[in-house]
Amino acid sequence: SKSLRRLEHSMNAKLLKRTPKGVELTSVGSALLARVRKLRLSLDDVTREITDLSEGRAGHLRIGAAAGPAFQLVPMACATLLKEAPKVSLKIAVSGNNALLTDLRNGELDIAVTLIQGPRHEDLVEEHLNDDAWVVYASAAHRLAKRKQLTLADLVQERWALGAVVSPMERLLTQALENSGLPPPNIAVETTYLPARHHLVGATDLLAVGLRPLVRHGAKRFGIVELPVKDFTATRRGGVFYRKDAYLSPAARRFIEILKATAKEIAAAKP
């Protein structure tokens, strides 16, 4: 009763009236109740939205990815995030390492999934995701695919499908051949489009260099296999980057957690 009187006093109007049947709302009271119900629903909506945002279940996330992660790691992680957070929207941009970090610094991306290489970036946070091995691969029907062990010398006469001449795989292969006193690779096809490279290798006698998880992922579809080249050992260190002093949303933080779990899942997968 005291609370009601205070409310009526603050509204400067009667909210209830007595009738022979008891107490009823006045017209002002009915109008106020309708407004309060709407406010309560709005408050519930706001509460749910705030909870979704705080727990990473809502928001817009702008992701940059290098070609390798964009083929398997990032799509798998995005699928997991969207299943548990259907209110999240995503924008995925695929580009080279330097371009991704530039866009990240310019505020056009929230996170970038790419290579960890060279000195650390003072203005960025980098979190390690995986260490993937580079491997030589060929068609499952290639004459070398049946060999239990190979050396780089066994590959000198082969032709290759590689990325651009300045790609990491080309540099790694050329350096490995040079260190073994062998001539540079005979490049028959250059393409940065991974599915095309897989298809060409699976359909011809060309060899290629790729990341082990991606070769395994494409094995059944493209008919490709890793070759056991004992003197070719190289790894790629991958990570996720974000700006050190910028706001990182709960959705972004949750996505990073999913990326780490997905990277472990991929690494543990059997061929």
Side-chain angles (χ1 to χ4, degrees):
S1 297
K2 290 181 179 180
S3 296
L4 178 59
R5 285 197 295 272
R6 286 196 298 268
L7 181 58
E8 288 181 326
H9 180 73
S10 66
M11 301 293 294
N12 194 26
K14 290 290 290 182
L15 302 177
L16 294 175
K17 62 181 178 181
R18 293 188 178 277
T19 69
K21 295 182 180 180
V23 178
E24 293 181 356
L25 287 168
T26 66
S27 58
V28 176
S30 296
L32 178 62
L33 180 59
R35 291 284 186 176
V36 167
R37 282 173 176 164
K38 290 181 180 179
L39 287 172
R40 182 176 180 181
L41 289 174
S42 296
L43 180 60
D44 289 344
D45 288 342
V46 169
T47 300
R48 285 193 295 270
E49 183 176 355
I50 297 261
T51 301
D52 285 344
L53 287 168
S54 66
E55 295 182 3
R57 295 199 297 263
H60 182 63
L61 185 57
R62 301 166 301 169
I63 305 163
F71 189 72
Q72 184 181 22
L73 173 59
V74 169
M76 288 178 63
C78 286
T80 300
L81 179 64
L82 290 173
K83 286 178 182 177
E84 70 174 52
K87 293 181 181 179
V88 168
S89 61
L90 305 174
K91 179 180 180 181
I92 305 170
V94 180
S95 188
N97 185 70
N98 293 335
L100 289 173
L101 298 185
T102 297
D103 289 346
L104 182 62
R105 290 186 172 98
N106 292 338
E108 297 174 26
L109 297 173
D110 297 309
I111 63 174
V113 185
T114 187
L115 299 178
I116 296 178
Q117 57 186 3
R120 295 183 68 89
H121 304 273
E122 295 300 324
D123 57 332
L124 301 176
V125 177
E126 62 182 49
E127 296 194 31
H128 176 247
L129 290 176
N130 51 19
D131 290 307
D132 290 329
W134 291 98
V135 297
V136 177
Y137 65 99
S139 166
H142 197 286
R143 58 183 176 77
L144 296 178
K146 298 179 181 179
R147 297 273 295 272
K148 293 183 178 180
Q149 185 171 287
L150 296 164
T151 65
L152 286 170
D154 296 319
L155 313 181
V156 169
Q157 302 302 320
E158 304 300 322
R159 298 201 306 161
W160 297 79
L162 299 176
V165 292
V166 294
S167 67
M169 69 182 72
E170 195 277 337
R171 290 197 300 267
L172 288 169
L173 179 61
T174 300
Q175 187 63 52
L177 290 168
E178 183 180 321
N179 291 344
S180 297
L182 300 170
N186 178 9
I187 302 175
V189 176
E190 291 180 25
T191 175
T192 58
Y193 186 49
L194 184 61
R197 191 161 62 248
H198 281 359
H199 178 83
L200 284 168
V201 170
T204 70
D205 285 336
L206 297 177
L207 303 186
V209 174
L211 294 168
R212 177 172 284 145
L214 300 185
V215 173
R216 290 177 175 178
H217 182 72
K220 184 175 181 180
R221 178 182 176 187
F222 297 102
I224 55 178
V225 294
E226 176 184 341
L227 297 182
V229 184
K230 68 175 185 178
D231 51 350
F232 182 73
T233 56
T235 58
R236 188 204 72 163
R237 188 171 177 80
V240 56
F241 294 76
Y242 52 91
R243 295 184 301 281
K244 183 174 293 185
D245 299 322
Y247 170 69
L248 191 66
S249 70
R253 293 186 183 278
R254 177 58 186 143
F255 185 67
I256 291 172
E257 293 174 357
I258 293 172
L259 277 172
K260 292 178 179 179
T262 304
K264 290 181 180 179
E265 177 186 338
I266 292 172
K270 294 182 179 180

